[in-house]
Amino acid sequence: MGARMRKLIEFPCAGETLFGTLDEAPGTTGLLIVSGGNEIRVGAHRGMALLAGRLAEAGHPVFRFDRRGVGDSSGENHGFESSPDDIAAAAAAFRQAAPTSPVSPRSAIATRPPPSPSSTPARGSTNWFSPTLG
């Protein structure tokens, strides 16, 4: 595949400015990556950036962003559980920046900070946050 483009995008959320990165690709199925905890959009050891690049090389546009108060985004960080507005704003920015890539709840990956020992989910269960984006 040819050279891919990576764009920095700023967008509004509840009176603050959030920053995201779009890895462009020609595909019609996109991926919105939501990092939990205080992880910035690049990810630990650039992990999210590398993942986004690989998925874009495979033809899928990817959007990742910093929630309010995290990384480059303004505002106060009230934790991952308080981020549905941030996620909805990121989905809208992704739709606008890559209009051929529909974003639905099924195309969002959410990562969360490790649970505390007292809140560890039962074996075989997941620890995913599933916002309604559509």
Side-chain angles (χ1 to χ4, degrees):
M1 200 165 268
R4 63 179 206 280
M5 292 291 297
R6 181 170 277 169
K7 285 186 190 177
L8 179 64
I9 296 173
E10 64 180 79
F11 55 97
C13 177
E16 301 294 343
T17 301
L18 276 56
F19 285 86
T21 302
L22 172 65
D23 284 75
E24 294 182 317
T28 58
T29 300
L31 179 68
L32 171 64
I33 299 176
V34 181
S35 295
N38 294 322
E39 186 174 343
I40 59 174
R41 68 184 180 275
V42 172
H45 308 285
R46 296 188 42 80
M48 294 297 177
L50 294 171
L51 173 64
R54 288 183 182 138
L55 291 168
E57 285 174 0
H60 305 286
V62 180
F63 190 77
R64 51 202 161 79
F65 71 102
D66 292 333
R67 293 181 293 103
R68 281 177 282 177
V70 176
D72 295 320
S73 295
S74 68
E76 288 188 38
N77 178 6
H78 292 286
F80 182 77
E81 298 286 334
S82 299
S83 61
D85 291 343
D86 302 53
I87 296 168
F94 186 17
R95 284 185 191 108
Q96 184 175 5
T100 60
S101 302
V103 179
S104 71
R106 285 172 269 130
S107 62
I109 287 181
T111 61
R112 295 187 75 175
S116 64
S118 62
S119 65
T120 303
R123 178 179 226 132
S125 66
T126 58
N127 195 20
W128 298 96
F129 176 74
S130 301
T132 302
L133 302 177

